Amino acid sequence: MPVSANDPVDVLIVGAGASGAAVAWSLAETRMHIVCMEQGDWANPAEYPTNYPDWEQRLQGENSIDPNVRGRPSDYPVNNDDSPISVVNFNGVGGGTVMYAAHFPRLHPSDFRVRTLDGVADDWPVNYDRLEPYFAENDRMMGVSGLAGDPSYPPKQPPLPPLPLGRFGETLAGGFNRLGWHWWPSDSAIISRPYRGRDQCLNLGPCMSGCAQGAKSSTDITYWPEALRSGVELRTRCRVREITLNEAGMADGVIYYDPDGEERHQRAEVVVLACNGVGTPRILLNSKSSQFPDGLANRSGMVGRNLMFHPVGFVQGLFEERLDSHKGPLGCSLLSNQFYETDPDRDFVRGYMMQGVRGGAGPWNTAMQGAASGRIPWGPGHHEAFRRHFDHTATIGVLCEDLPEAHNTVTLDPELADSDGIPAPKITYRLSGNTSRMLEHGLAHAREVMETAGAVEVVSVGPAREAGWHLLGTARMGRDPERSVVNPWGRSHDVRNLFIVDGSIFVTAGAVNPTSTIQALALYIADTMKKNLANLFD
């Protein structure tokens, strides 16, 4: 039994990342008593690795993007043994937005109609037009830089001008231009001008270690300050173990461990899960009861199924001219949707995005990666080879659509657990034949861009192992309770006061970084909740 029970709150949100912050901010205007629990803590920008001369080495340990390497008290281990792709996440206020590259494209209209257009996967119960006002609202709240007019999207207007392409981007753009292929400056959640009290990007480069400048739009510095001013209560270092039910089958709160490790019960009228596509099914599967012996809200058997990752490959080119490729935002330069939509002449359905990634690591990583690949030797010839590579490389990332497959799962590991004894997630995942053929096609065409842009050497890898940034699909939305976990506005089919707002509710993955769409969905769900407060549980 829990040590003590706290007074009930109106809304309890679990997770303070991209979606949890957006929902908290949106619901705050109701003046309900809203509490958000986050198992991590606030990040201190003064402690980000880039404040130190050995910042590159610091990224290898407690600042790693891999929770199994990072191993902080706020992290939980993940069993990736049965997957070629490892889960990447961050626990703390802001969640993954603290360490993401801030590449911020939206899903395309076709991504919501995959079954209708291509005869595979499923259609979403919402569409692009329905979410468009929330995309725009989220762009304003986060601070998104970009250029209007991209022909691969419906009209949209980012609030800030695009980040500069630099020599790196201009070189890749030249390759796309000579091939006659689509490219466009990326939408980026990095501010190109002073915005809402934050100063602009200084092109420091290593965005994925946390932005000490505050130019990268993580939710700890965008949504959360406004939500807190509006009266939302945020409790850090509170690890939720399970969601509890009353006799009527309604969620009545959560059991969690407080910062002192004490077990407590927080009662609530409404519970909102915002823990990503791995953390959310983990909590649901661990919330077993006589009413839900296979996990909470899991009468359909769909909780934890249909995990989608976005398999990624990389093509790196070496150029004679200097590209200044260690300067500027890591993943935010340009993108190409030339091969995004299905083409019946190809041997796969759906498609991929090509993304310009500044392939120029800092000096330490350039030397270490060069040594590992044999391109930069130790000893004689080291400095000459180093000068030839440092700031002379460009990379194209190939991000592939991952179709939902029921055998790709998140389950509870029978042996591995976190420091509080909560079972760890186990990932079981296989790359489909469709995705494998798509990735092969993408790497070949990214190589063609590199060669056309003037690269003198080109190498490619994929699928990348540590590329499980995008955790999607394990509690999908839909109209049919037999084939989905939540309804078209995020409410559990089985538990009428339980909502899910993170990437787990994705029906299909598209071929873009998902944060913009995750947050638009979260704002849409919160808005729908507000419009239905009088009959929220009907």
Side-chain angles (χ1 to χ4, degrees), residues 321-437:
E321 65 273 20
R322 187 181 181 98
L323 301 181
D324 290 337
S325 47
H326 80 285
K327 299 178 182 178
L330 174 71
C332 299
S333 176
L334 57 81
L335 59 76
S336 172
N337 290 320
Q338 180 69 29
F339 303 102
Y340 195 92
E341 307 293 348
T342 293
D343 183 340
D345 291 334
R346 301 196 295 247
D347 61 352
F348 55 87
V349 294
R350 304 302 297 156
Y352 56 88
M353 174 187 68
M354 288 191 281
Q355 175 184 349
V357 181
R358 297 180 198 272
W364 185 83
N365 269 319
T366 298
M368 296 300 291
Q369 293 171 8
S373 67
R375 288 178 288 169
I376 302 179
W378 295 121
H382 173 81
H383 289 93
E384 180 182 353
F386 177 87
R387 282 191 294 270
R388 184 167 178 251
H389 284 81
F390 181 63
D391 260 356
H392 287 259
T393 58
T395 300
I396 294 175
V398 178
L399 192 149
C400 296
E401 173 150 2
D402 212 3
L403 293 173
E405 296 182 299
H407 60 263
N408 289 333
T409 61
V410 177
T411 56
L412 298 181
D413 193 278
E415 299 178 1
L416 188 65
D418 66 21
S419 57
D420 287 308
I422 304 172
K426 173 179 170 56
I427 308 302
T428 302
Y429 175 87
R430 294 289 180 272
L431 212 65
S432 72
N434 189 74
T435 303
S436 296
R437 293 188 295 273

Side-chain angles (χ1 to χ4, degrees), residues 16-17 20-22 24-26 28 31 42-43 93-94 97 141-142 195-198 214 216-234:
W25 169 81
S26 180
R31 301 303 178 190
W42 288 92
V93 179
T97 64
M141 285 298 297
M142 290 291 282
Y195 188 74
R196 294 191 171 189
R198 294 190 287 134
K216 187 176 76 171
S217 301
S218 51
T219 59
D220 56 327
I221 60 174
T222 56
Y223 276 106
W224 273 117
E226 295 203 22
L228 294 174
R229 283 194 293 269
S230 297
V232 176
E233 180 184 349
L234 175 56

Side-chain angles (χ1 to χ4, degrees), residues 164-176:
L165 293 178
R167 294 181 182 177
F168 155 83
E170 291 171 357
T171 299
L172 288 185
F176 282 108

Side-chain angles (χ1 to χ4, degrees), residues 8-227:
V9 300
D10 295 316
V11 179
L12 175 62
I13 302 168
V14 185
S19 60
V23 165
W25 169 81
S26 180
L27 292 180
E29 69 173 353
T30 66
R31 301 303 178 190
M32 292 188 291
H33 185 187
I34 301 169
V35 169
C36 179
M37 288 187 178
E38 167 56 50
Q39 69 179 19
D41 210 335
W42 288 92
N44 181 357
E47 297 177 355
Y48 286 155
T50 49
N51 291 298
Y52 303 90
D54 61 342
W55 65 269
E56 290 180 278
Q57 291 95 315
R58 289 173 182 255
L59 295 177
Q60 310 306 309
E62 66 174 13
N63 296 292
S64 169
I65 59 175
D66 185 336
N68 290 340
V69 174
R70 195 168 59 237
R72 297 182 183 182
S74 59
D75 289 317
Y76 55 83
V78 181
N79 183 344
N80 298 302
D81 292 346
D82 200 17
S83 172
I85 298 174
S86 296
V87 168
V88 175
N89 67 13
F90 179 74
N91 295 307
V93 179
T97 64
V98 173
M99 286 191 171
Y100 73 162
H103 194 236
F104 221 65
R106 305 173 180 183
L107 279 184
H108 292 233
S110 68
D111 292 320
F112 298 91
R113 303 176 61 237
V114 172
R115 167 63 67 175
T116 296
L117 294 174
D118 300 308
V120 296
D122 289 287
D123 290 346
W124 290 54
V126 296
N127 58 30
Y128 182 94
D129 290 341
R130 184 74 185 88
L131 294 180
E132 200 285 329
Y134 303 102
F135 279 123
E137 182 175 44
N138 188 58
D139 285 354
R140 292 189 295 271
M141 285 298 297
M142 290 291 282
V144 172
S145 302
L147 181 66
D150 183 350
S152 68
Y153 272 104
K156 55 187 173 73
Q157 179 61 65
L160 292 164
L163 297 168
L165 293 178
R167 294 181 182 177
F168 155 83
E170 291 171 357
T171 299
L172 288 185
F176 282 108
N177 283 342
R178 284 189 280 278
L179 290 167
W181 292 352
H182 169 272
W183 71 270
W184 203 257
S186 298
D187 280 1
S188 309
I190 297 174
I191 57 175
S192 57
R193 299 286 185 273
Y195 188 74
R196 294 191 171 189
R198 294 190 287 134
D199 206 357
Q200 69 194 56
C201 176
L202 296 178
N203 290 328
L204 297 177
C207 307
M208 292 176 69
S209 61
C211 178
Q213 168 74 357
K216 187 176 76 171
S217 301
S218 51
T219 59
D220 56 327
I221 60 174
T222 56
Y223 276 106
W224 273 117
E226 295 203 22

